[in-house]
């Protein structure tokens, strides 16, 4: 049966809903930057193409540097007022914004799907993560923090516009700081435009501009600049492990969602492959909004497209280079296995690939690209295991049956890892408690 875009989720329908919710931001046939408490017509409007199928979307309107400086100064003025607001008032305004986010969560998520190619479930998770995470901070913040001397400038990529960027801005507002963000150029600007409008209605001092990365990095009017991207490879160590059904959700989580590597005890490699290959062959990908019947729910996919076709070619080149240097191909999927509508543009899609022993000179070794590529490394000793897990400079985790071994490996891996953002808006390098269990995670925010 042929697939089609679920009625009501087409881009035209989604954009029309945005206009009805926030005509101040979407009513001019273009996206407007927001600073100084109102929408601005400055900037040259552009277009984006959805990675899903090439649909033309409303794009950002980059500001000239002088206009970005004006926006930063206006944010500084808002900061000076907001910093004197009481903690109860800050909480009330931020929580009211979160209520609006929750009310319009479906719309915010649909915007993320079209702009970034996230699956429906991943987009909802990004929106819900923002709402739930900021609520947690609001509920647990009992004493006011000392505001910075100026607003916080935020720079982030397209990957998590709500769950990282907007989450950070609202936490910064809770702590008495105005927040200004640069809209990601590759996707997320429509979603952030709507979220900014909803937050501003309740007096939360947020500013959203396109362009101006340099000004948001160096302006002396800022109290701090927050770089919100996460880089590096997240490694899963597999050592003394036998509960192989638990591997399947790790495979589904890794391909297309994280930059991930499996570091596997060599003596377990045959059992690992027996569990891994069926899981990777069963991955579901394709058009995130395609259904066979109008009444069908949106599909549960493991991943959708990459952010654009240029990233697809880049990833093909990286994989081909690794294979040319001696890496071993474990699995290569095909776009024929994807769920697509008839005659769909699939230029931004990349079928899943898994390789063994990426060479040390490959980007897959140190900074694995975001996309549906897994790499596997074999090790013989615990020392090799720990070294390989640290090599990717990401968040290490491991799977192990025996609690004493888990305790020892956890102690060796313990160190400064990424936890929740500190309430003063700084990036928090914290040491999190690690429990010795059959499955140990490092870097999981404490709730």
């Amino acid at each position: 049966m042929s697939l089609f875009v679920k009625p009501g989720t087409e881009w035209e329908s989604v954009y029309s809903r945005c206009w009805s919710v926030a005509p101040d931001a979407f009513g001019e046939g273009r996206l407007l930057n927001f600073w100084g408490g109102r929408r601005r017509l400055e900037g040259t409007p552009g277009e984006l193409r959805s990675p899903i199928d090439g649909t033309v979307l409303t794009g950002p309107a980059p500001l000239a540097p002088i206009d970005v400086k004006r926006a930063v100064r206006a944010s500084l003025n808002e900061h000076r007022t907001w910093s004197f607001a009481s903690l109860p008032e800050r909480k009330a305004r931020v929580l009211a914004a979160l209520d609006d986010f929750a009310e319009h969560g479906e719309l915010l998520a649909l915007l993320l799907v079209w702009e970034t190619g996230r699956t429906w479930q991943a987009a909802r998770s990004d929106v819900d993560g923002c709402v739930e995470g900021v609520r947690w901070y609001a509920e647990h913040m009992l004493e006011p923090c000392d505001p910075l001397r100026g607003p916080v400038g935020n720079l982030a990529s397209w990957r998590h516009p709500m769950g990282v960027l907007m989450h950070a801005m609202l936490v910064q507002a809770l702590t008495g700081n105005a927040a200004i963000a640069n809209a990601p150029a590759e996707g997320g600007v429509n979603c952030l435009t709507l979220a900014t409008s909803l937050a501003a209605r309740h007096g939360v001092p947020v500013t959203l501009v396109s362009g101006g990365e340099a000004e948001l990095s160096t302006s002396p009017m800022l109290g701090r600049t927050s770089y919100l991207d996460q880089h590096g490879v997240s490694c899963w160590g597999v050592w003394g492990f036998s509960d192989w059904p638990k591997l399947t959700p790790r495979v589904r989580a890794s391909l297309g969602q994280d930059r991930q590597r499996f570091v596997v005890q060599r003596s377990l490699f045959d059992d690992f492959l027996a569990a891994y290959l069926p899981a990777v062959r069963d991955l579901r990908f394709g058009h995130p909004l395609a259904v066979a019947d109008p009444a069908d729910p949106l599909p549960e996919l493991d991943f959708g497209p990459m952010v654009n076709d240029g990233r697809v070619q880049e990833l093909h080149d990286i994989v081909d280079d690794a294979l040319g240097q001696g890496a071993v191909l474990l699995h290569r999927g095909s776009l024929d296995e994807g769920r697509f509508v008839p005659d769909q543009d699939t230029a931004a899609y990349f079928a899943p690939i898994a390789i063994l022993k990426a060479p040390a000179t490959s980007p897959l070794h140190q900074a694995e690209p975001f996309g549906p590529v897994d790499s596997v490394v074999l090790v013989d000793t615990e020392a090799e295991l720990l070294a390989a897990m640290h090599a990717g400079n990401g968040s290490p985790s491991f799977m192990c049956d025996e609690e004493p071994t888990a305790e020892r490996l956890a102690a060796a891996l313990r160190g400064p890892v990424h936890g929740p953002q500190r309430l003063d808006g700084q990036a928090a390098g914290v040491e999190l408690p690690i429990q010795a269990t059959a499955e140990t995670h490092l870097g999981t925010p404490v709730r």
Side-chain angles (χ1 to χ4, degrees):
M1 181 179 295
S2 294
L3 302 177
F4 51 87
V5 178
K6 184 177 175 67
T9 69
E10 309 93 340
W11 175 248
E12 294 78 7
S13 299
V14 171
Y15 195 81
S16 177
R17 289 174 60 185
C18 290
W19 179 86
S20 66
V21 173
D24 60 313
F26 295 89
E28 298 286 339
R30 52 166 285 178
L31 295 182
L32 281 72
N33 292 282
F34 183 84
W35 60 270
R38 65 183 179 87
R39 289 288 165 187
R40 308 280 181 157
L41 282 169
E42 296 98 338
T44 303
E47 294 180 342
L48 292 173
R49 288 195 175 272
S50 172
I52 291 178
D53 59 5
T55 295
V56 176
L57 312 180
T58 307
L63 293 177
I66 185 63
D67 290 324
V68 177
K69 292 178 181 178
R70 294 167 60 202
V72 174
R73 182 171 296 280
S75 183
L76 174 60
N77 292 335
E78 291 179 331
H79 176 84
R80 289 168 172 164
T81 299
W82 181 255
S83 63
F84 287 102
S86 67
L87 179 58
E89 180 180 355
R90 295 177 202 162
K91 286 186 177 183
R93 292 181 182 276
V94 169
L95 289 171
L98 294 178
D99 288 341
D100 278 2
F101 286 5
E103 179 182 351
H104 299 289
E106 178 186 280
L107 180 56
L108 290 165
L110 284 171
L111 289 169
L112 286 182
V113 172
W114 277 108
E115 293 188 88
T116 68
R118 305 292 293 277
T119 66
W120 171 243
Q121 292 75 25
R124 281 308 310 240
S125 179
D126 199 46
V127 175
D128 294 344
C130 173
V131 174
E132 294 167 5
V134 178
R135 282 196 194 280
W136 184 90
Y137 277 111
E139 292 168 358
H140 290 81
M141 189 175 179
L142 305 179
E143 299 291 336
C145 299
D146 293 330
L148 302 170
R149 61 178 178 81
V152 181
N154 293 275
L155 296 172
S157 75
W158 56 272
R159 291 189 181 110
H160 300 283
M162 293 295 292
V164 172
L165 180 53
M166 186 54 64
H167 177 282
M169 295 175 72
L170 295 184
V171 170
Q172 291 156 9
L174 280 172
T175 64
N177 299 300
I180 179 170
N182 167 262
E186 289 186 295
V189 62
N190 285 272
C191 178
L192 288 169
T193 294
L194 178 58
T196 300
S197 290
L198 296 176
R201 290 176 183 177
H202 301 285
V204 181
V206 290
T207 295
L208 182 68
V209 297
S210 295
E213 292 90 342
E215 289 73 18
L216 293 186
S217 301
T218 62
S219 174
M221 292 180 282
L222 296 172
R224 179 173 289 111
T225 296
S226 179
Y227 299 91
L228 300 170
D229 279 348
Q230 296 180 351
H231 299 284
V233 182
S234 296
C235 295
W236 276 93
V238 182
W239 188 268
F241 183 69
S242 62
D243 194 359
W244 296 110
K246 287 187 177 179
L247 186 68
T248 298
R250 301 295 162 235
V251 175
R252 293 194 178 283
S254 67
L255 283 163
Q257 300 298 328
D258 301 308
R259 297 180 295 274
Q260 188 151 307
R261 175 184 302 143
F262 289 94
V263 182
V264 182
Q265 186 175 3
R266 191 182 303 272
S267 61
L268 299 178
F269 186 49
D270 55 342
D271 290 331
F272 171 84
L273 276 186
Y276 177 83
L277 290 178
V280 75
R281 289 168 182 153
D282 195 41
L283 289 170
R284 299 158 298 184
F285 64 96
H287 195 306
L289 304 174
V291 296
D293 185 276
D296 288 347
L298 292 174
E300 293 189 10
L301 303 178
D302 295 299
F303 60 93
M306 298 184 69
V307 71
N308 56 51
D309 56 359
R311 295 293 182 91
V312 170
Q313 186 57 54
E314 176 185 336
L315 193 52
H316 274 300
D317 292 343
I318 290 172
V319 170
D320 290 343
D321 179 70
L323 295 175
Q325 294 188 58
V328 178
L329 184 66
L330 295 177
H331 173 78
R332 187 194 296 272
S334 168
L335 291 186
D336 293 339
E337 301 161 357
R339 299 179 79 260
F340 301 112
V341 303
D343 301 319
Q344 177 185 332
D345 181 348
T346 60
Y349 290 81
F350 191 99
I353 283 180
I355 65 173
L356 175 68
K357 298 175 62 176
T361 56
S362 170
L364 295 174
H365 183 75
Q366 291 288 347
E368 194 160 352
F370 185 88
V373 176
D374 266 354
S375 61
V376 179
V377 176
L378 301 183
V379 294
D380 294 297
T381 67
E382 291 183 5
E384 291 178 346
L385 170 72
L386 298 175
M389 290 178 70
H390 281 302
N393 195 31
S395 298
S397 310
F398 68 91
M399 307 176 76
C400 181
D401 290 341
E402 298 180 358
E403 186 168 324
T405 303
E407 289 178 342
R408 183 160 34 78
L409 293 174
L413 288 172
R414 185 179 290 121
V417 293
H418 295 291
Q421 185 182 48
R422 271 172 42 178
L423 290 177
D424 63 2
Q426 299 184 54
V430 296
E431 188 169 283
L432 301 180
I434 300 173
Q435 297 180 353
T437 60
E439 186 172 301
T440 300
H441 301 262
L442 296 178
T444 303
V446 177
R447 288 288 185 262

